[in-house]
Amino acid sequence: MSPTIYKSPYPDVSIPKSSVFTFLFGTRTPQSIGGFPASKKAFIDAASGAYITRAQFLDLTLSFAYGLRTHPNTKPFAKRGNTVLIYSPNLLAWPVVLLGSVAAGLRCTPANNAYTSQELLHQYTDSGAKLVITTEDGIKTIREMFAKLGISKEEGNRRIIVIGRGLQWAGGPSAKPSADAAGLLTMEALLNGGKLKEEEKFDGPLIHETAFICYSSGTTGKPKGVETTHHNIVSELSMFGPNFTPLEKEDVMLAILPFYHIYGLSQLVHFPFINGLTVAIQTRFEPDAFCANIERYKVTHSLIVPPVLVALARHPAADKYKMTTLRYLCSGAAPLGKDLVSQVNNRLRKYGVRCDIVQGYGLTETSPTTHLLPHTEAERMMGSIGYLMPNLEARLVVDDDGKVDAEEGGAGELWIRGPSVMKGYLNNPTATANAITPDKWFRTGDVGQVDKEGFWYIVDRRKELIKYKGFQVPPAELESILLGHPDIADCAVIGIDDPEQATELPRAYVVAAHLEKLTTAKDKAIFEQSVVKWMQSKVARHKYLRGGVRVIDIIPKSAAGKILRRELRDRAKQEKAG
Ligand code: 4UV
C-alpha cells in the first residue's frame, strides 16, 4: 500500500541556493544589510546594554574570519572544512565567532558550556575539531581535556581562542583578563588584524557541505554529531514567515535558550537577524532577570521551554515588572500542557499583557523546527504543536519498517522528509542508516497524531531519550558511566515526569553488586543517595539523577538483551501512585 503522506497547509516556499553566511549578509549596501538598516541593533548584551549593529556584526565576523585565516596559531587549523569547537555560554561575542568561523569556511561544533572535560572530550575528538573558542571560565576545563588527550600545555595553548570578559570591542565596559588567560590568543586580538575581503563561497552542490555539528543522541545511544548543512539551515529559515510568527519593525527578542543547542542556534542567532529583529542576550535564565529584561528592552518575543512558563505562572518576578510589550512566546523542546499555558495567560492578562503563547516542535536532526502553531491559532489550538512547515512531508508510521501508516486520526511514529533533514550522523553510517530510510524519511522516535484541520500533536516518545528542561539526557551515556561504579552490577536510566516543574527527571534503576550488604531500607537509601552524589562528580548539571536512584533485583530486558524501559516507566508510575 502506498504511504499516507501529509503536507503543510501552507504552500512550499522557494529556497535560495546559498551558504548560511550569504543568506544572512548577501544583499548588502552601506545603508542596508539583508533588507534592514545597517545601523539597526542586531545583538545586545542584556546585562551591560553594550550592543552591535547589523553593520558591525558583518564587519566583526569578516574581521574574525580574517584573524582565523592569518594568525600563526590558528592558520594551520582554519582551512575550509576544518572544525572549530565553541565552548561558551551565550554572550555578545557568540554570534560573531560563529559567523566569523562560517565566513572562513569552517564547520562549527557548539558544545554545552556546562560540560565536564570528559563530556567535552567526546565532542572534541568525534567532531575532529582542532581549535576551541572559549571564555576565561572555560579554559580550565579545556586544559583538563587536552591533558586527558595527551596534548602538551604548549600545544593546547595554541589551539585556544579566548573570549575576554571585556566588551570594549562592542563599545561596552572593559575588564582585566584573568591569570588563566595570560599568553593565550584572544578573540579581541583576532579582530584587529584586518578584514576578509570575501566570505568563503558554498554555491551549487557545495550548499550540501556541513556548516554545524550539534550533538544529539537521536533515538538511541550516546550523543552523535549531527551534520547540518548550509542548505539545511537556509531551508529551515526560509520556511518561516509571517504566517507563523508576528513580525514588526521594532521587535526585540530576548534570548535565554543556549545558542549551542540547535533551537537557540537557529532561532535566536539566525532567525532574528534575517527578520530584522534585535536580540537581547541574557546569559543565564533566571526569572527575575528575564522579567526585568523584558521591561528594560521592551521585549516583544522570546523562545522558551516549558519550565520558563512555570516561572511566569508562579514566580513573584512576574508581578514586579511591566511586560506589556510582550506579544509572542514560543515553547519547544519538550511537551507543553494546556493548563500551564492557561495559567500564564491568566496571570499576564491581569497586567494587560496580550501575548500569543504557541508551541513548536523539532529536533536537532531537522535543523530544527518541523511544526509550529501559527500565532493566530494560539488561543484556539493550545496544546497542539501546530502545522507542518512548508516544504516538508510527514508520515505516521505504525510498524518498524515503514510499511503500515496510521489510520486517519490515529497515532504513529512521526517520520519527516524534506530539505531541512540533516545530512547524517558524522562518521557514523550505521546510525545514519538507522535514522534515515533509503527514500530519505527521517524517523523522529516521537509518536504523533494529526487532526482533520492539519493540527499536530505529540502524544508519546518511543525513543529512549530523556529531556530535562529541554536539555537532552541520553540514558545510554548515564548507563555506561554508572556501570563504571564499583558497586553497580547493572542499571537502566529512564525519565520520570515532574508536572510541577513541567519536565522529566532522570532516574536510575540499579542492581547492586553486593546486594547482601544492603540489608535494611536505610542501607539501601544511603547507597542510592551515594550514587546520586557520585554521578554529580561525573556529568553536567542537567544530567544529574534528579529523579533519584532505586535499587532493584534485576533490570527487565528483552530476549535480545534490550532494556525494557516501558516496564521501568510503569514501575515508576506505580511507585508514585503507591
Ligand atoms: O534534538 P532536540 O534536543 O531538539 C529540540 C528542538 C526543539 C525545538 C522545538 C520547537 C522549535 O520551534 C524549534 O525550533 C526547536 O529539542 O530534541 C528533540 C526531541 O525533543 C522533544 C521530542 O522528543 C524530540 O524528538 N520535543 C521537542 N519539541 C517538543 C518535543 C514538543 N513541542 N513537544 C514534545 N516533545
Side-chain angles (χ1 to χ4, degrees), residues 115-129:
Y115 268 180
T116 61
S117 58
Q118 192 60 38
E119 290 167 315
L120 200 60
L121 187 151
H122 169 64
Q123 186 164 340
Y124 180 79
T125 49
D126 188 74
S127 68

Side-chain angles (χ1 to χ4, degrees), residues 351-382:
Y351 296 105
V353 182
R354 309 279 321 171
C355 169
D356 295 330
I357 304 175
V358 302
Q359 192 179 180
Y361 163 88
L363 305 93
T364 309
E365 289 84 345
T366 53
S367 316
T369 315
T370 64
H371 292 74
L372 183 59
L373 186 63
H375 67 105
T376 45
E377 299 286 1
E379 189 86 35
R380 187 172 73 95
M381 300 312 295
M382 224 182 266

Side-chain angles (χ1 to χ4, degrees), residues 215-218 226 236 240 257 261-264 266-267 303-306 328 330-336 359-372 383-385 389 442 444-447 457-463 465 467 470-472 504:
Y215 274 69
S216 163
S217 63
V226 174
E236 164 74 9
F240 282 89
L257 301 180
H261 185 251
I262 191 77
Y263 189 11
S266 160
Q267 304 301 305
L303 302 182
I304 53 168
V305 286
Y328 182 80
C330 175
S331 170
L336 172 65
Q359 192 179 180
Y361 163 88
L363 305 93
T364 309
E365 289 84 345
T366 53
S367 316
T369 315
T370 64
H371 292 74
L372 183 59
S384 164
I385 56 166
M389 307 282 285
F442 169 71
T444 66
D446 293 307
V447 181
Y457 295 84
I458 297 297
V459 294
D460 198 3
R461 196 183 295 147
R462 255 198 206 173
K463 56 188 168 190
L465 177 68
K467 278 288 181 102
F471 294 105
Q472 287 205 3
E504 288 174 282

